[in-house]
Structure formats: structure tokens, C-alpha cells
Amino acid sequence: MNLSAWTEIAPHIPVLLRGILVNIELLLGLISLGLGVGVVTALVEVYGPRPLGWAAGAYTWFFRGVPEIVLLFLFYFGLSQFGVPVSAFFAAVLALGLRSSAYQAQIFRGALQSIPHGQMMAARALGLGRVKAIAYVILPQALRLSLAGWSNEFSSVLKDTTLAWGIGVVEVMRQASYIRARNFTLTLPIYITVALMFLVLTYVGNVAIGLAERRLRVPGLEGRR
Amino acid sequence: MNLVFDPAWLPRLGQGVLLSVQLTAYCMGIGAVLGAVLGLVRVYGGGRWSPLYWAASAYVHFFRGTPLLVQLLGIYLGLPTVGILIGPFLAGLLAMTLNTAAYQAEYFRGAIQSVKSGQMMAARALGMSRGQAIGHVIMPQALRLIIPPWSNELIYMLKYSSIVSMTALRPETMDLFGVARSIASRNFRYFEVYILVALFYLAMVLILTVALRWVERRVRIPGLGTPGRGI
Amino acid sequence: MALLRVENLHKRYGHEEVLKGVTLTQEAGETKVVIGPSGTGKSTLLRCINRLTEPDQGQVWLEDLEITSRRSDINQIRAKIGFVFQDFNLFTHLTALDNVRLGLTKVRRMPRAAATDRAMAELDRVGLAAKAGAYPAQLSGGQQQRVSIARALAMDPKLILFDEPTSALDPELIGEVLSVMIQLARDGMTMIVVTHEMGFARSVADEIVFMEGGVVVEQGPPEQMFRSPQIPRTGEFLRKISELYGESS
């Protein structure tokens, strides 16, 4: 690897950026899917009727125990085998999103369970129904408490979006392999550049979550760690 | 929708399990040694401005902040372009080891730092050197505290071993998932093969979870650490 | 020659000078009790003696060996000076027996069997032979502190430094620790004890040292300090502390 290889990287940067934009789209898609499904799963696990709680537990156990790449192949090739037309992008969001929902469910469940029992009692004593008590009293506290765990999950799924390369999504890893196919001497500089892009994204994301955490902070409501 | 499972897949998948387990065991073992050294350097390696501390921190941040797949392809495809030839198995092992070492370094750091500071002071007051105090007092406690996060990491790496076959589908990188891909690409029974392989991974995770809980209980000492957390 | 000499010891934390030139002499077999309001550098003084805290200025001598010299092997010196902490600091992962034995096998390189015998003897001396197999978390605070005294004794120290050994204990557990310390003093152990236990000070101290604001204000035998202190501030402090802590021991 010499210096000239590094100067030759410059013209390829826009292509890499276009690629990483797809990773960011994947990230936004999967993390919102994961958030929605995760919150519901956690609520069912904590407040739902027994059999439903068990089902939710089995669901999170499955998605936490199976490797991401297996899920990706299962959702993409497995669904197409039954004639369900899915794009690689959609399959990736679905597979990685459901996986993330299992992890997010675990984070929210921990947060829900750490809220003192008296909060629910006080809400019910006011005459709020169970659902309203959860929505207005428990959930706002639990969501704040889970921000710390959520920032871990964020940096983990951000990196896992590269796995979508395996089922053919044209994201940054795919763009990198196009570039190196044309000029293989660029291989190492390209991957190092991609690595640095992820470092920057992780950093920016964590700063943003940190800011959100500070904005949403309520005195007396802190994660117990 | 009719599903087809063929028992003839099983011996090959069994071979794949063996390779996945091997990869995971090696990378976790070597990674633990590297991680312990990095963690010790991050705690005891001098101040924020010592070169040793700085190098260890840079290493940890880099390998934790970038995707394993980038590390894997960087090593497998990148190193040969600078004259370092490396096969897919070794590239996979190297990437996984370097990656887990960074995560384990953080677990070691956390465990070492959660040993109360009075322990070091009492050891020094007895006349132990810093090294003796770390060896006889700090590490035996840190090693017990590290079991729960280390167990999580082991399961993560077992699952992540499934990406080594993304480098090249060659017999020597036929881990469990690699075998599955090669079977499925021949008979197009994607759903059946991948579901089966998912169950294989789940079974391995279950066995590891139970085994690690047992170990944790065996070495537990009253007053040190909290009871194991769920995985 | 005095067993221990502390000369003009200074220590500063940031802007605050905690020790402003402390000088002390300790004879072999003597029990010295250091008293004074909190935050006046008593604990810092003890820690500077065996350099758990590095003093900024001044010298400490153990017989003819200068502890504060850069050339002296501090670990060898610490092995000869016992230290008993306010919060015990027993090694969490070791049983009572192993806590006492660790310094013997690792620092004094004693064979394991001999170390076991010695450790059991010290546990017996503090009345805890029956608890040899217990982990610190399974012992009461008083028992933990007695094990930590046994840990210090096992090293055959020339002197033992006690840093508020009963301050972290529930009142009903203080007596068992004090009675071990009283016995040690009577057996001729050389001790420097930072404490608020005036009963202990009055009955066993050969000398009481009153510190305030990082300096020794006054020192002397207990009768003199309690009956006719030379400096009004000493009497005032002693009256206050005796009211607060009583003289039970």
C-alpha cells in the first residue's frame, strides 16, 4: 500500500457515500420496525396474559439466538421460495428489524420492571384504567430509562446493516466491492475508508442520543446501574 | 406449501457445527488473553497520555466502532494486496479474534474497575508489589465478575462465526452456515435448510447458556458480584 | 533508637495542605493514640508512614531505614508495618484463612503448610479459628475487622497502624475489636491508633497525640492530656469527643 493508492481513493468517495446512505436507510427502517415491535413485545411480556407472554418470550428467544445472516437468508431466499416477492432491501429491513425488536424488547422489559410498583398503584388510584396507566405513567418513564441500552443497540445494528451485502443490497460494502473489482490495489484503503465512515457514524449517532437523553432527562428518574 | 427435509443434510451440517465451534473457541480463547492485556493496560497502563494507554484505547475504539464484516473483508481481501497471503479460515479467525479482543478488553476493564479500590490498597499495605496485587487479588475477583458479560460475548461470537463463509465458499470455511448455503444452493430448499440451521444455532446457544450458568454457580463466592443475569 | 521517626511530613491535595509538617517519635512497645477532628490529616499521616500515600516533603524512618528514600524497597518495608483499615478491606474472594495466609505465602514466601499453621494461630488469637473457612461476606463487621487484625499480625510486624478501626462498626460490635486491640497493647505490640474511642485511649495509650489543621497541637500521656492540657483547644476537643462517644470500652 503506498501513498498514491490513498490519493486514488478520493474520486470514489461519492460512490461510497451513496452506498452508506443505503445503510442509513436500512438503519432507520429496521430500528423503527424494531422499536414498534419491541415495545409491544415487552408490554405483552410484562402486562399481557400468560400464554401471550410465553409466546412473546419464545419470539424474542428465537430472534436473539439465530445469527443475523441466517435471518437475512431465511427472509430473502426463504420467502421467495414460496413465491412471496420481496426485494433484498425489504427482506433486510424485516430480518434485521425483527432481530432488533427482540433485543429492544429486552431493554424495554428491563426498564418496565425497574419502575417502582407504586407508580402503577398511584395511577390506578386516580381512576386511570390499566391501559391508560401504562400509556401515561409507565411508558413515558420506561422509554426514558431505556435510552442508555438503546444507544448500545443503535451502534450494534448500524454495523450489522453491512450484512445486507450478503443478500445483494447495494449498500456500502457492495459499492466497495465494485470499486475494488476495477482496481484491486485499492482494496485495503477502501475498506479502511469504509471503517472510518462507520466510526464517524457511530460517533455522531451516540452524540445525538446523548443530546436526546439530556433533553428528556427528568430529575429523580435515572437508570439504576 | 410442502416442506422437504432430507436426513442426508445432517452429517454435513454436523461437520459445519464442528468448524463453527472451533472458530468460536479459538477466537474466544485468544481474544480473552488479548482482551485481558488490553483491559489491564487501559486501567493500569499509565495516564491518559501514556502511549500504551493511547494505543490500547485506539485499538478498542476502532474494532468496536467498525463492522466485523469490514474487518473480515479488509483482512481477507486487503492483506494479500500488500503481500500478506491469508486463507479464508485464518482470515476469519483473525478478524473474529481481533474483534472480540476489543469487546473483551472493555469487559475486563469494567470488571477490574468494579473491584473496590481498598482491595489494591490492602494488598499493597501487606507488602505486595503492584503486579502481585493484580495477580493475586484484583484478577481473581475480576475474572469472576466477568463471567456474565463474557458468556454474552461467547454467544455473540458463536453467531458471528456465521459470517466467515461470506469470504468464499470453500471447504475450509464451511462453518454451519456455509454448509447450509451450499446445500440450499443445490436443492433450492432455502426455507427448510435455513430454518433447520436456525434451530441448530438455537440449540448451541441453549447448551452454552446452561453450561455457563453452571460454571458461574460453581465459582461463585459470597459477596462477590451479583447472581447471573439472563442471556 | 526510636522504632519510628516521622520528621516534618507535608502532604497537599490540590490547594489544600492536609499535613503541614508533622513530627513524631514512636518507641518500640509503645501505643500511641492519634485524635483530632475529622479532616485534620490523621488518616493521611498513617498512609504517609508506609507510603500508601506519597508525602510531598519530610522523612520517615523505621529504625535506621529511611522509608521515604527512593532507594528503599517499599514492599519489603510495608511487610514489616501492619495496616488495619477503617473498612477492613478483606480480600473479597478469599476465606478468612486465605486472607491471613496470602501475605505469608506471597510476600514472605513461607511454605504453605507453615503459613497455614501460622494463619490458624493468628485467627485463634483474635478468637476466630472457627470461622477460618468463611468468606468476608459471611462475617459480621466486627469479625471482619478481627480477621484483618490477624492478617496484619501474621506478618510479624514491627508496628501496626490502625486507621479508625471501629468507625465503620455498629456500636454493639465495637467492643470485640477493642478488646483484641487492648490485649495486643498489653502484650507489647507497637501501635499507632487513629480513633475516637476515648475509653481505649485513656486505658491503654502511652501517649495521646492531638492533631488539628494538619499539625500536632499537643501530645502527652493520657492523665496529663485529660486532666491538665497545656492548650485550651485540646481540653475543649477532649470534652466534646468524650460526650459524643462516651468512654465505654
Side-chain angles (χ1 to χ4, degrees), chain A residues 90-175:
Chain A
F90 183 73
V93 168
L94 203 59
L96 296 176
L98 294 181
R99 190 216 71 106
S100 180
S101 78
Y103 280 87
Q104 295 191 47
Q106 207 201 11
I107 295 167
F108 291 127
R109 197 187 57 187
L112 286 173
Q113 286 168 341
S114 74
I115 290 168
H117 205 64
Q119 296 289 313
M120 178 60 113
M121 270 201 289
R124 300 302 298 275
L126 272 181
L128 287 174
R130 202 171 146 81
V131 175
K132 281 187 175 168
I134 291 171
Y136 298 135
V137 177
I138 305 296
L139 214 51
Q141 299 187 42
L143 288 174
R144 281 190 181 87
L145 285 180
S146 36
L147 265 174
W150 200 74
S151 82
N152 276 335
E153 175 64 7
F154 157 81
S155 32
S156 153
V157 289
L158 168 65
K159 289 176 284 175
D160 286 344
T161 56
T162 52
L163 296 175
W165 169 74
I167 55 170
V169 177
V170 187
E171 42 69 78
V172 71
M173 295 304 281
R174 179 68 49 184
Q175 298 288 11

Side-chain angles (χ1 to χ4, degrees), chain B residues 204-220:
Chain B
M204 290 197 284
V205 167
L206 188 65
I207 291 167
L208 279 179
T209 308
V210 171
L212 289 165
R213 290 239 178 102
W214 179 81
V215 169
E216 199 189 341
R217 225 165 345 181
R218 276 298 303 266
V219 302
R220 185 175 299 162

Side-chain angles (χ1 to χ4, degrees), chain B residues 39-82:
Chain B
L40 283 167
V41 167
R42 292 253 281 155
V43 181
Y44 298 113
R48 199 149 283 267
W49 301 112
S50 95
L52 218 54
Y53 171 88
W54 198 88
S57 304
Y59 176 91
V60 168
H61 285 303
F62 181 83
F63 279 95
R64 278 165 48 94
T66 59
L68 178 57
L69 187 63
V70 178
Q71 293 158 18
L72 175 66
L73 295 187
I75 288 169
Y76 179 63
L77 303 171
L79 288 188
T81 66
V82 292

Side-chain angles (χ1 to χ4, degrees), chain A:
Chain A
M1 184 176 23
N2 49 32
L3 217 64
S4 74
W6 284 98
T7 56
E8 279 174 54
I9 286 276
H12 297 294
I13 298 271
V15 180
L16 288 178
L17 285 178
R18 216 182 311 144
I20 210 151
L21 210 61
V22 176
N23 290 79
I24 295 174
E25 288 169 18
L26 277 170
L27 173 74
L28 294 177
L30 81 90
I31 212 149
S32 11
L33 176 64
L35 182 68
V37 179
V39 170
V40 171
T41 309
L43 285 172
V44 168
E45 271 193 273
V46 177
Y47 296 111
R50 271 289 171 77
L52 264 183
W54 288 331
Y59 167 83
T60 57
W61 185 72
F62 178 86
F63 278 98
R64 282 158 46 80
V66 178
E68 286 89 334
I69 195 88
V70 175
L71 293 173
L72 282 167
F73 275 60
L74 187 63
F75 277 81
Y76 184 56
F77 295 107
L79 285 180
S80 60
Q81 178 183 336
F82 300 113
V84 182
V86 282
S87 70
F89 183 90
F90 183 73
V93 168
L94 203 59
L96 296 176
L98 294 181
R99 190 216 71 106
S100 180
S101 78
Y103 280 87
Q104 295 191 47
Q106 207 201 11
I107 295 167
F108 291 127
R109 197 187 57 187
L112 286 173
Q113 286 168 341
S114 74
I115 290 168
H117 205 64
Q119 296 289 313
M120 178 60 113
M121 270 201 289
R124 300 302 298 275
L126 272 181
L128 287 174
R130 202 171 146 81
V131 175
K132 281 187 175 168
I134 291 171
Y136 298 135
V137 177
I138 305 296
L139 214 51
Q141 299 187 42
L143 288 174
R144 281 190 181 87
L145 285 180
S146 36
L147 265 174
W150 200 74
S151 82
N152 276 335
E153 175 64 7
F154 157 81
S155 32
S156 153
V157 289
L158 168 65
K159 289 176 284 175
D160 286 344
T161 56
T162 52
L163 296 175
W165 169 74
I167 55 170
V169 177
V170 187
E171 42 69 78
V172 71
M173 295 304 281
R174 179 68 49 184
Q175 298 288 11
S177 62
Y178 290 156
I179 297 168
R180 67 170 283 277
R182 265 173 280 150
N183 184 352
F184 87 101
T185 57
L186 291 183
T187 306
L188 206 47
I190 282 285
Y191 284 122
I192 291 175
T193 308
V194 172
L196 292 178
M197 287 178 165
F198 274 97
L199 277 180
V200 171
L201 275 182
T202 308
Y203 179 76
V204 170
N206 281 331
V207 167
I209 293 172
L211 282 178
E213 218 171 340
R214 212 166 315 149
R215 291 237 16 203
L216 295 173
R217 183 167 297 158
V218 175
L221 184 68
E222 272 103 31
R224 270 167 285 171
R225 271 175 290 165

